[in-house]
Amino acid sequence: MLGPMIEARHLRVLRAVASAGSFSAAARELGCTQPAVSQQMKALEGAAGTPLLVRTGREMRLTEAGEALVRHASGILAGLAAAEEEVAALAGLRAGRVRLVSFPSGSSTLVPTAVAAMRADHPGTRVSLVEAEPPRSVEMLRAGDCEIALAFRYEAEPEWGDLVVRPLLTDRLVGLVPEGHPFADADEVGIGTLAEEPWIAGCPRCRRHLVQVCEAAGFTPRIDFATDDYPAVVGLVGAGLGVAVLPELAVESVRPRGTRAVRVTPAVQREVVALTLPDLARVPSVAAMLHHLATAAQR
Amino acid sequence: MLGPMIEARHLRVLRAVASAGSFSAAARELGCTQPAVSQQMKALEGAAGTPLLVRTGREMRLTEAGEALVRHASGILAGLAAAEEEVAALAGLRAGRVRLVSFPSGSSTLVPTAVAAMRADHPGTRVSLVEAEPPRSVEMLRAGDCEIALAFRYEAEPEWGDLVVRPLLTDRLVGLVPEGHPFADADEVGIGTLAEEPWIAGCPRCRRHLVQVCEAAGFTPRIDFATDDYPAVVGLVGAGLGVAVLPELAVESVRPRGTRAVRVTPAVQREVVALTLPDLARVPSVAAMLHHLATAAQR
DNA sequence: AGGCGAGCATAAGGTTTCCTTGGGGAGTCG
DNA sequence: CGACTCCCCAAGGAAACCTTATGCTCGCCT
């Protein structure tokens, strides 16, 4: 333990010497000067505690210990080369896995195009996707169960803390009313004018935010239905059972049959972001995926 | 090639970090300080081109590249440990092979006791023996076919050049005459008094030296027989076919039935040495063998 | 909420290691 | 015998390494 340990550099030099047959030739092969080879060999012999090669006049011959080291060197250096190759593949995006967690409406629009671009640019990489909403997705991020979490945040909600935040787009929320509804053809409607309508709400956070906005406008919405399933919301609106306020992304991802989308005032919007950990943001495959997500978000 | 290569030290640190779970714990495990671990890890991440671990609050987790490196590290470090163990065995005389070349009369006396002592002291070592005389044995030494050559040299003959010479003993040459010969009971005889005797010579070099000595004494010996086989020489003398001058070692190794040994003047002697190459002299197993040879030579 | 301990990062300093340049000696070949 | 090759040696500067010291963040505990 106390003696200087054998390092990979030593074995590289030894192998070069053994294959080239002389220090000078080994130095040329290694791209350094001959005294450098001399010193490395001396250091290695010091670590080994015995001479490794015997020079008799012109030619060099390995001692028993030298033979043993050369024999081991090939395996060791091969393993090391394999390791370097593997991390180079990871770093060079010829391999790598990115685990994505997305909220439902994000996964149906943003993610497919981003993943397609990723696959086209870096065929060796693999992207997996799981659906979950914050705070579950952030938990998974911190627990190491994914590398990137797609999430959204309403204006009033808290920031993301120490996470790396990559803004993707700000999602304007639109009102959704049945065809034939009095406001179906309006350019925009004040939210207060919908005070007496029955409401159909989305996910818990969306619902909570809806209530906040409505109360700011002076009324408490009467929520008849609440469901995570956006197509279901659209269906309910289309059936004339109420009105809804939905993220534009969610509307786009569903064929809104029997409904009309109208702008609502005051403007309500949510910020859609990709989240990751500071260290992960520097991983090439993660960085590439973030880039493609941002590109996809720009339409 | 241009980026700093991954070294064994890096992998040792990485493995310690992965197993200990923190830089500080790894530092304790490695017997160094925590900043040292920090720096090594930073260097390794630089060489890898991608982060290797992600720190989320309290705990560390390996990235994909980190996992890959740790996976390879065990094999690489195991190979390296095996290599170190093998050379340590060689250096520690728990293993090793010494190939000896000896001239015939040396191998029958010196070598057996020296080899026995070597085997007793270092049971892991192996000694092999081949018989040959100089200059053949020196050729074998230079060609790498043996590590130690036992040889002898008469006074007038050339030095050994750049070889490492370990003097073992100086072998006095004795005259050998048949029982009943006029000088059989003499204390010593001048070599000139044997000018008219029929001679029985040994190996070519011994024979050449015999001629030189006799000519210095003023006569040319009549050589009736010449043979490499010392027992044969003794037998011929015992049969009354002539006289001989033999190394004491050679006489001792044979039961000299029917003959008498007498001192001859001027004193003739040959120097028995062990030869090796400068580099080989530093190989532990060779050094140990040389030591045991010298010890055996001292009776 | 504030204090505390653990853990990591960073900066600075000193030591060691590493590599290069320059010069010398020994062996080999034309 | 001169030219070439190869190696060692010494000295200088550059780089790597490790340590001490310091500050910061986080989780935990009172």
Side-chain angles (χ1 to χ4, degrees), chain B residues 21-24 28 34-35 38-39 42 55 58 60:
Chain B
S22 82
F23 283 14
S24 298
R28 284 189 290 272
Q34 167 265 318
S38 272
Q39 295 181 104
K42 179 167 293 189
R55 285 178 290 282
R58 180 58 78 203
M60 316 244 257

Side-chain angles (χ1 to χ4, degrees), chain B residues 11 15 69-80:
Chain B
L11 296 185
R15 184 180 55 174
L69 269 188
V70 169
R71 180 163 11 97
H72 281 106
S74 55
I76 293 169
L77 294 177
L80 223 142

Side-chain angles (χ1 to χ4, degrees), chain A residues 27-202:
Chain A
R28 284 189 290 273
E29 185 173 307
L30 294 170
C32 66
T33 61
Q34 170 267 317
V37 175
S38 272
Q39 291 177 222
Q40 288 300 317
M41 286 302 302
K42 180 168 294 190
L44 182 54
E45 292 195 335
T50 168
L52 299 178
L53 35 87
V54 29
R55 284 177 289 282
T56 150
R58 179 58 77 205
E59 65 189 317
M60 311 244 256
R61 200 183 320 284
L62 291 166
T63 64
E64 213 179 346
E67 297 263 17
L69 269 188
V70 169
R71 179 164 12 96
H72 285 287
S74 54
I76 293 170
L77 293 177
L80 222 144
E84 282 177 335
E85 164 54 30
E86 187 164 344
V87 300
L90 256 25
L93 290 169
R94 302 195 306 280
R97 173 200 60 187
V98 180
R99 291 167 299 176
L100 219 58
V101 172
S102 171
F103 57 93
S105 60
S107 64
S108 59
T109 55
L110 261 180
V111 171
T113 68
V115 171
M118 183 77 175
R119 187 176 289 288
D121 270 20
H122 311 296
T125 60
R126 290 188 29 246
V127 181
S128 67
L129 174 66
V130 173
E131 293 199 342
E133 297 200 33
R136 175 70 193 127
S137 57
V138 174
E139 275 175 29
M140 293 177 66
L141 193 56
R142 292 195 188 279
D145 293 328
C146 68
E147 280 76 43
I148 297 176
L150 262 64
F152 61 88
R153 185 182 75 86
Y154 289 107
E155 293 158 316
E157 293 178 330
E159 301 282 342
W160 297 110
D162 60 342
L163 296 178
V164 170
V165 182
R166 178 98 178 212
L168 297 180
L169 51 84
T170 58
D171 201 9
R172 200 185 153 81
L173 272 68
V174 298
L176 199 67
V177 300
E179 280 180 352
H181 187 279
F183 296 143
D185 297 315
D187 227 23
E188 65 177 39
V189 300
I191 197 160
T193 62
L194 299 173
E196 301 305 324
E197 300 283 340
W199 284 82
I200 298 158

Side-chain angles (χ1 to χ4, degrees), chain B residues 39 73 75 87 100 105 127 162 190 212 231 257 279 285:
Chain B
Q39 295 181 104
V87 300
L100 218 57
S105 60
V127 180
D162 58 342
Q212 282 182 355
R257 266 190 298 269
D279 294 318
S285 57

